[in-house]
Amino acid sequence: MSDDTRTRRVHGDGVELAVYERGSGPTVLLVHGYPDTHAVWDAVAARLAERFHVVAYDVRGAGASSRPPGRAAYGFEHLMADLRAVLDAVSPGAPAHLVGHDWGSIQCWEAVRAMPGRFASFTSISGPCLDHASHWFRTRPRRLSGVPAVARQLLRSWYLAAFQVPVVPELVWRRGLAARWSRLLERAEGVPRGGGHPAPTLLQDAVAGLNLYRANMLGRSRTARRAGVPLRVTVPTQVIVPTRDAYATPALVAEAPRPFTEHLRVRPVAASHWGLLTRPEEFAGLIADHIDQVPRT
C-alpha cells in the first residue's frame, strides 16, 4: 500500500483548507464527516492510491483547516465553494470520482446535483441527500408497512434535534465526551485505537462542526428549491449501505435516492457506521469497483 502523502494548502471560500494527496492516475476525492478529519480515510486512501490519485481534505472547521466563527459560515453554499476550490486545485482538467462519508456524503449529494459536470462517479456512505431524505419521510408512511421504517430512523436521528440546542452539545464535548471518544468508538464500533483517528483536534472539530447541522438541517428543502438545485442526480452513483449503522438505517440510505438517481447501485456491507476504519480493504474495493464500472470518455 502506498504511504507517500503530499500536503498542500488550498484557498477556499474565505478559509484555508488542508489537502492531502497520494498516488497517481484518475482523481478520487474523499470527503469526511462529523466529527472526523481527512484521517478517517487513511486506510482506504492508502489502498486506493495503488491505482488512483487520491485526495482528501479537512473540511472547514476540522483538522488543519480554518475554523470560521458563526453558524452561517458552515452553510452549503460555503461548503460547495470549498469543494470546488479543491477540485480546481487537484483536478482542473478532468472530472473527479467523488466519495463521501457521513456529513461528507451529505454535502457530496449537494455537489453532484449542483455541479454534475465536475464528477465522473459518486459513492455515498452513511449520509443521505437531505432533500431525498425529506421526500422519503413524507411519502414512506403512506404505506402501512413504511411506518416502522420511519419510526426506526427517527429514533436513530435523536442527535439531529439535540445538536440544535444551544450550548449544551458544546458542554457535553468539553466536559468529557472528547476524552472518551476513542474508547466509545472501540467499544461500540470495534474501531481500533491508534493512528491518526480520532485527530488531536477532536474537541475543536466537534464543537465547530455542530454548525454543519445548525446551518443546513432546518428548512433545507425550501432553501434548495429557492437556490434552483435539482433533485435529480445524473452522475453514476453507488450507495454503500453499512447494515449495522447506528445512525442511518439501511431503509433510508438505500431507498431515499431511488426516485431521483438515474444510475444507481446499492451495495450492502455488514459493517457499522465507521466501517471505513474496521473494514478498509472492503470499502476500498467497492469504491474501486464502482469507478471501474463507469464508462470512460
Side-chain angles (χ1 to χ4, degrees):
M1 293 182 293
S2 172
D3 193 32
D4 179 21
T5 302
R6 308 177 296 278
T7 63
R8 70 162 99 178
R9 305 287 291 181
V10 170
H11 186 68
D13 185 11
V15 297
E16 293 296 316
L17 303 168
V19 178
Y20 304 83
E21 301 175 73
R22 311 181 193 208
S24 61
T27 298
V28 180
L29 179 59
L30 309 173
V31 187
H32 70 82
Y34 176 88
D36 302 323
T37 68
H38 78 281
V40 76
W41 291 109
D42 279 350
V44 171
R47 288 163 170 82
L48 290 174
E50 296 174 2
R51 294 182 51 203
F52 303 105
H53 170 217
V54 183
V55 181
Y57 69 103
D58 292 332
V59 303
R60 60 172 57 210
S65 291
S66 304
R67 292 183 182 81
R71 176 185 307 187
Y74 293 81
F76 272 127
E77 65 274 21
H78 302 297
L79 298 174
M80 291 303 97
D82 290 348
L83 198 155
R84 189 179 294 110
V86 173
L87 286 171
D88 288 344
V90 303
S91 187
H97 299 276
L98 184 64
V99 186
H101 174 250
D102 185 80
W103 240 100
S105 177
I106 291 174
Q107 68 162 296
C108 287
W109 280 106
E110 185 83 0
V112 296
R113 293 160 56 202
M115 44 182 170
R118 300 302 301 265
F119 306 108
S121 74
F122 171 42
T123 292
S124 166
I125 306 167
S126 295
C129 169
L130 294 185
D131 295 311
H132 297 172
S134 176
H135 179 268
W136 184 85
F137 275 113
R138 291 195 310 271
T139 59
R140 193 69 158 83
R142 293 175 186 171
R143 306 191 306 272
L144 188 59
S145 61
V147 174
V150 170
R152 283 191 292 271
Q153 181 58 58
L154 287 172
L155 287 172
R156 296 192 195 188
S157 300
W158 61 269
Y159 63 96
L160 299 179
F163 285 176
Q164 303 299 325
V165 178
V167 180
V168 174
E170 288 91 335
L171 285 176
V172 171
W173 278 108
R174 290 186 174 119
R175 295 294 177 86
L177 181 56
R180 294 194 294 268
W181 188 246
S182 182
R183 191 182 321 133
L184 289 172
L185 285 182
E186 184 179 40
R187 291 179 178 177
E189 300 268 339
V191 174
R193 298 195 202 189
H197 181 85
T201 53
L202 172 65
L203 176 56
Q204 301 98 301
D205 301 340
V207 169
L210 291 167
N211 286 310
L212 294 169
Y213 296 87
R214 293 168 177 171
N216 298 297
M217 295 299 296
L218 300 180
R220 170 64 198 133
S221 293
R222 291 190 299 274
T223 303
R225 284 196 294 270
R226 282 199 300 268
V229 177
L231 283 174
R232 294 202 65 79
V233 176
T234 57
V235 175
T237 298
Q238 170 179 237
V239 174
I240 298 177
V241 184
T243 56
R244 298 196 294 268
D245 196 316
Y247 307 100
T249 61
L252 172 66
V253 295
E255 295 174 7
R258 289 192 185 278
F260 307 105
T261 310
E262 293 185 8
H263 310 283
L264 177 66
R265 306 173 77 197
V266 175
R267 310 288 288 276
V269 177
S272 60
H273 185 78
W274 275 277
L276 303 175
L277 296 166
T278 59
R279 305 180 69 167
E281 185 169 358
E282 184 170 3
F283 279 80
L286 289 171
I287 293 166
D289 179 68
H290 181 56
I291 292 171
D292 289 341
Q293 298 300 316
V294 175
R296 298 185 184 276
T297 57

